[in-house]
Amino acid sequence: ENFEVTCTYVDTALGQGAVVVFHDITELTQAEQMRRDFVANVSHELRTPLTALIGFIETLLGPAKDDEAVRARFLGIMANEAGRMERLVRDLLSLSQVEGEARVRPTERVEILGLMESVRNALAPLARDADVELEITAEDGPVEVKGDSDQLRQVLTNLVENAIKYGRAGKRVEMTLSAVAQMSELQGQGVAVTVRDHGAGIDEIHIPRLTERFYRVDSHRSREMGGTGLGLAIVKHIVNRHRGRMRISSVLGEGTSIRIVLPLG
Ligand code: ADP
């Protein structure tokens, strides 16, 4: 059914007939379908907090106008919903930025151990609130890759944020750096960063789909934790643009480990 058909009647010296051309549009339809799904998802994700906001505003303008306690509580919820919309827009912008060019311009040299330490410091308050200890192990000393430091920071931030969000209170989240991973014959040596948590883990049937935009194992949990469903899609694109590899492994009940390998250079 994925054919576009054109039919032309011909009248030549050899006789009359019809030329029917079948044009395979499978790929086109798939791309179009993906685009439509994406727009539908974005609209849905934006509409949910927006509907809540409108509801609360109407209540505050009407029935709860003079109720001080209700007003304070509603404003708190509204700030939450607005924050959710803001995160979604921020992640959409990041995604469109990293989806754009095929390859990052590898102008900067990025020192990975320093980046890991900086991400740990930035996420320390989140970790404290979740009662998770962020630990860095460096099997090798400082090591540099060529790339975009803002984007690589985002990769580590998204992975560590997830590990904190979906990890277990009282347990650690470990970031490990190892500079000796072999990537492939062509790419030679790479730098491996692994982020591991000791949370509930992910059933293996979900793993291949985790980097799809808006794919969530448990949407309720993800939203409750402030997730947009775009974090791992952004990670995948950035890693690809750095000619890197990403591997997700998880054991239900034991935790998840995500390993990124970037070409050394
Ligand atoms: P979200 O914003 O929902 O966290 P992500 O793209 O970062 O979106 O992750 C997609 C889904 O993958 C999450 O909704 C969650 O179900 C699952 N996930 C990601 N990281 C982990 C982890 N460390 N442990 C368990 N599940 C995870």
Side-chain angles (χ1 to χ4, degrees):
E1 65 246 38
N2 285 325
F3 286 102
E4 197 175 73
V5 185
T6 51
C7 185
T8 317
Y9 289 96
V10 289
D11 189 357
T12 68
L14 294 172
Q16 294 172 333
V19 177
V20 181
V21 178
F22 290 89
H23 185 62
D24 185 351
I25 54 165
T26 311
E27 234 172 70
L28 196 80
T29 348
Q30 271 170 2
E32 177 61 15
Q33 188 58 44
M34 276 177 69
R35 197 191 61 79
R36 280 193 202 144
D37 288 349
F38 181 63
V39 172
N41 275 325
V42 171
S43 312
H44 174 75
E45 298 286 336
L46 280 172
R47 197 172 56 190
T48 312
L50 195 56
T51 306
L53 278 174
I54 291 168
F56 284 115
I57 290 169
E58 279 170 357
T59 315
L60 286 177
L61 289 173
K65 204 160 45 187
D66 303 315
D67 191 329
E68 197 58 49
V70 168
R71 188 156 69 197
R73 196 161 59 84
F74 278 17
L75 282 173
I77 303 173
M78 289 165 73
N80 249 333
E81 297 296 321
R84 195 165 136 191
M85 294 178 76
E86 190 191 28
R87 278 192 302 278
L88 180 63
V89 171
R90 184 202 58 199
D91 279 359
L92 284 169
L93 282 174
S94 298
L95 191 64
S96 85
Q97 234 166 31
V98 297
E99 276 182 337
E101 292 166 59
R103 285 275 178 266
V104 68
R105 273 154 292 155
T107 42
E108 268 180 279
R109 303 192 72 83
V110 188
E111 199 282 288
I112 298 294
L113 185 55
L115 196 62
M116 288 163 72
E117 282 163 355
S118 154
V119 167
R120 178 185 55 188
N121 294 340
L123 294 180
L126 189 70
R128 208 178 308 120
D129 288 347
D131 188 21
V132 161
E133 196 184 329
L134 290 182
E135 188 186 86
I136 292 182
T137 310
E139 287 167 9
D140 300 276
V143 49
E144 285 186 343
V145 302
K146 276 196 204 140
D148 180 319
S149 65
D150 288 340
Q151 289 187 5
L152 293 176
R153 174 186 299 276
Q154 175 144 39
V155 165
L156 293 183
T157 303
N158 289 3
L159 294 181
V160 176
E161 259 177 15
N162 278 351
I164 296 172
K165 285 193 305 194
Y166 304 108
R168 204 184 300 278
K171 297 275 186 185
R172 290 185 181 150
V173 163
E174 293 131 16
M175 281 191 261
T176 310
L177 171 71
S178 132
V180 289
Q182 180 72 27
M183 294 196 69
S184 68
E185 297 266 318
L186 267 179
Q187 287 174 295
Q189 300 267 290
V191 180
V193 180
T194 308
V195 177
R196 176 191 295 273
D197 66 61
H198 299 278
I202 307 162
D203 195 316
E204 62 180 328
I205 56 159
H206 297 290
I207 290 181
R209 300 198 56 192
L210 290 182
T211 56
E212 286 174 23
R213 302 178 289 196
F214 296 116
Y215 189 86
R216 293 150 160 140
V217 175
D218 177 345
S219 337
H220 180 71
R221 174 106 200 270
S222 158
R223 290 202 179 85
E224 206 171 295
M225 304 302 278
T228 61
L230 296 175
L232 289 180
I234 294 171
V235 167
K236 184 188 81 177
H237 279 284
I238 296 177
V239 170
N240 283 347
R241 298 179 80 210
H242 284 77
R243 292 181 296 116
R245 303 252 175 287
M246 167 178 185
R247 203 190 66 214
I248 305 176
S249 11
S250 192
V251 178
L252 269 182
E254 287 184 21
T256 302
S257 164
I258 303 191
R259 180 178 154 104
I260 301 292
V261 188
L262 300 166
L264 235 167

